[in-house]
Amino acid sequence: MSLLVLDDVEKRFGGLPAVDRVSFGVDEGEILALVGPNGAGKSTLLKAISGLQPPTAGRITFAGRQLAGLSAHSVRQRGVAMVLQTPRTFDSMTVRDNVVLGAMFGSTTGRIRESEANARAEEALEFIGLADRVDDEVGSLNLHEQRFLELARALAGKPRLVLLDEVMAGLNETELAASIDIVRMARDTLGVTVIWVEHVMTAVMSLAERIVVLDFGQVLADGAPADVMRSPDVVTAYLGDGAIPVE
Amino acid sequence: MKAAILDGIVLGLQYGLLGVGLTLVYGLGGVLNLAHGQLAVLGAIITALSFDAGLPIVPAIAVGLACAATAGLVLDLTLMRPVYRLRGEPRVLLGLLLMLGLAFIIDGFLVWRYPIQSLSIRIGGDPIPILGVRMRTGSLIASAVTIAAGASLVAFFRLTTAGRAVRSVIQDEEGARLCGINPARVRTFIFALSGFLACLVAVTRSMTAPVTVTNGIDFTTLALIVAVVGGLGSVSGAFLAGIVLGIVNTISSFYIGTYITTIMLLVAAALTIVIRPSGILGGRT
Ligand SMILES: Nc1ncnc2c1ncn2[C@@H]1O[C@H](COP(=O)(O)OP(=O)(O)OP(=O)(O)O)[C@@H](O)[C@H]1O
Ligand SMILES: [Mg+2]
């Protein structure tokens, strides 16, 4: 059964569609890569699902309930957590405090006590491998660690679906491998479903189980990675953008 | 001189408490609450009326505080709703105009209905020496209440998850929403808290000097100056600015005269904008 179903989802900015009648479903436990040239509407689609920028038309059904029209905090509390392209952690707080906020307010199990939020935050930090940095200021983390912190903050609420926007851009090879591992582990051990926007094609090919290609806001291809990347439409779309960006 | 500085610190903590509500409301939503002082006076006058109606002073104060907090809460849920639906400059301008209008309405109503009402809480007892300065019981109690309130606020924002949630919305509203925090609810809570704090300042002030129905504009001006000097949106900045300005105030009135103090404070605020546009701490929260 599909955990998330997008049905003719559309987002227009002043008349121009950035996301143009997109429809597809995502199964529970799937790792889906959303790829496409710059400006294809990938980030816009994720923000539409997360409630940050509600869609102008269409339906978004998550676990059988409508998300379209809900604000971001309610979407989060229903089990959809998002990590944006640039880290949005709170600099004046410690690593722990950042994650506790996500555990407390992003909880999918209703209101929880402060002690429970702390426990969930510790657990998420343990999982992500930042347990020894709990008392550090966020400012002392590098980009990779900040992205992991944000992932921990997302996972601490016990979401069922995480939306990741280019969380592997600008990482070195070791960091990239670690990121791929952690996303796979989140699915395998926590059971979360992942929709993940990525330009780093080596990562996409090694982690994704399914690829959806967006171009000019529309779904250009949808299927198994090997098939999708061989499809002539996809090759043309990327060639227009300067060949497939393999890094 | 020593007395002037001590007085200045106590006064400064009151300023900080007055400015902190204004600075938080602005930091959370870009609304400059020009009726901040009017809420303080409203609460103070309600306290005085409750007292006159026969309530003992402490419950009367509680009624005033509760009314000021409720006024803040109701304002946020009604008048502020269309404001928060806007973004950017239109939001700032509409917020400014509505709150200015409200300030006039509260002022007008109080002057019309209760022209000679004022709150003046007299506490007897001999002056008590503190650090070699003889302080009156009234100002001692006022200082104690102010310090306790300030310390609770700082602890709330530093040590509790709810306090950190407020700070997170000030720092990055979108990031906060992604954590599951509802900014609208945070704003409502802070508007109510700011009404409560403003009234608390008016009440403590009335222990050393009467608070009259026309004092709203003075409180608003002070709060604005404190918020600007402390950096709009910064809690610790507001307290630091309050103390600095409190000392500037008492020293200038000690050496020059009371008539000069408001001008001195405005000069301090103007200088801050020129030298450190984001406040004395140069950051937010
Ligand atoms: N807030 C906005 N206002 C107006 N137009 C926008 C806004 N956000 C995005 N767009 C437009 O929508 C289109 C899709 O942008 P989006 O950021 O979703 O692309 P993307 O696929 O994520 O690209 P990239 O790979 O560069 O991140 C672009 O043409 C962009 O200019
Ligand atoms: Mg993008």
Side-chain angles (χ1 to χ4, degrees), chain B residues 79-112:
Chain B
L79 209 53
M80 288 294 109
R81 285 290 117 139
V83 176
Y84 291 132
R85 244 173 260 136
L86 301 173
R87 306 255 160 255
E89 209 165 282
R91 182 194 277 194
V92 174
L93 291 176
L94 184 64
L96 211 62
L97 289 175
L98 287 182
M99 296 321 281
L100 190 60
L102 181 73
F104 278 111
I105 291 173
I106 296 177
D107 269 346
F109 174 77
L110 289 178
V111 169
W112 167 60

Side-chain angles (χ1 to χ4, degrees), chain A residues 40 46 48 56 69 90 127 129-130 140 160 183 198 226 234 246:
Chain A
L46 291 195
T56 37
F90 304 114
F127 175 81
L130 281 174
S140 70
R160 289 174 76 183
V183 173
E198 198 50 78
V234 174
V246 175

Side-chain angles (χ1 to χ4, degrees), chain A residues 43 85 165-166:
Chain A
S43 298
Q85 222 161 327
D165 197 353
E166 291 194 41

Side-chain angles (χ1 to χ4, degrees), chain B residues 3-190:
Chain B
I5 290 180
L6 200 62
D7 269 357
I9 292 174
V10 170
L11 188 66
L13 283 169
Q14 279 185 21
Y15 285 1
L17 223 43
L18 188 64
V20 86
L22 189 107
T23 215
L24 282 170
V25 168
Y26 182 83
L28 283 171
V31 170
L32 217 39
N33 181 4
L34 292 182
H36 191 67
Q38 278 72 12
L39 288 183
V41 170
L42 189 68
I45 297 304
I46 290 174
T47 302
L49 292 172
S50 311
F51 185 68
D52 290 351
L55 231 52
I57 189 63
V58 174
I61 292 173
V63 168
L65 290 171
C67 286
T70 309
L73 184 103
V74 170
L75 271 178
D76 182 85
L77 292 177
T78 55
L79 209 53
M80 288 294 109
R81 285 290 117 139
V83 176
Y84 291 132
R85 244 173 260 136
L86 301 173
R87 306 255 160 255
E89 209 165 282
R91 182 194 277 194
V92 174
L93 291 176
L94 184 64
L96 211 62
L97 289 175
L98 287 182
M99 296 321 281
L100 190 60
L102 181 73
F104 278 111
I105 291 173
I106 296 177
D107 269 346
F109 174 77
L110 289 178
V111 169
W112 167 60
R113 283 290 279 129
Y114 307 104
I116 51 160
Q117 188 63 252
S118 68
L119 179 67
S120 177
I121 299 173
R122 257 167 257 121
I123 298 165
D126 292 329
I128 298 164
I130 301 279
L131 301 175
V133 179
R134 291 168 64 80
M135 290 187 76
R136 281 180 300 145
T137 322
S139 46
L140 269 182
I141 291 180
S143 315
V145 170
T146 309
I147 290 169
S152 320
L153 264 189
V154 171
F156 172 72
F157 285 111
R158 299 252 137 235
L159 306 178
T160 72
T161 305
R164 287 192 202 102
V166 176
R167 282 163 60 201
S168 77
V169 177
I170 295 177
Q171 268 175 44
D172 175 3
E173 182 166 338
E174 201 167 71
R177 293 169 72 201
L178 286 175
C179 284
I181 294 164
N182 181 355
R185 189 176 290 180
V186 169
R187 281 194 277 266
T188 306
F189 164 67
I190 289 299

Side-chain angles (χ1 to χ4, degrees), chain B residues 149-239:
Chain B
S152 320
L153 264 189
V154 171
F156 172 72
F157 285 111
R158 299 252 137 235
L159 306 178
T160 72
T161 305
R164 287 192 202 102
V166 176
R167 282 163 60 201
S168 77
V169 177
I170 295 177
Q171 268 175 44
D172 175 3
E173 182 166 338
E174 201 167 71
R177 293 169 72 201
L178 286 175
C179 284
I181 294 164
N182 181 355
R185 189 176 290 180
V186 169
R187 281 194 277 266
T188 306
F189 164 67
I190 289 299
F191 219 116
L193 180 68
S194 99
F196 176 90
L197 292 174
C199 178
L200 188 66
V201 171
V203 167
T204 52
R205 179 67 78 78
S206 76
M207 293 174 187
T208 50
V211 171
T212 68
V213 285
T214 54
N215 276 153
I217 179 71
D218 308 322
F219 281 125
T220 300
T221 311
L222 263 177
L224 200 59
I225 293 173
V226 170
V228 165
V229 174
L232 283 160
S234 167
V235 174
S236 30
F239 278 105

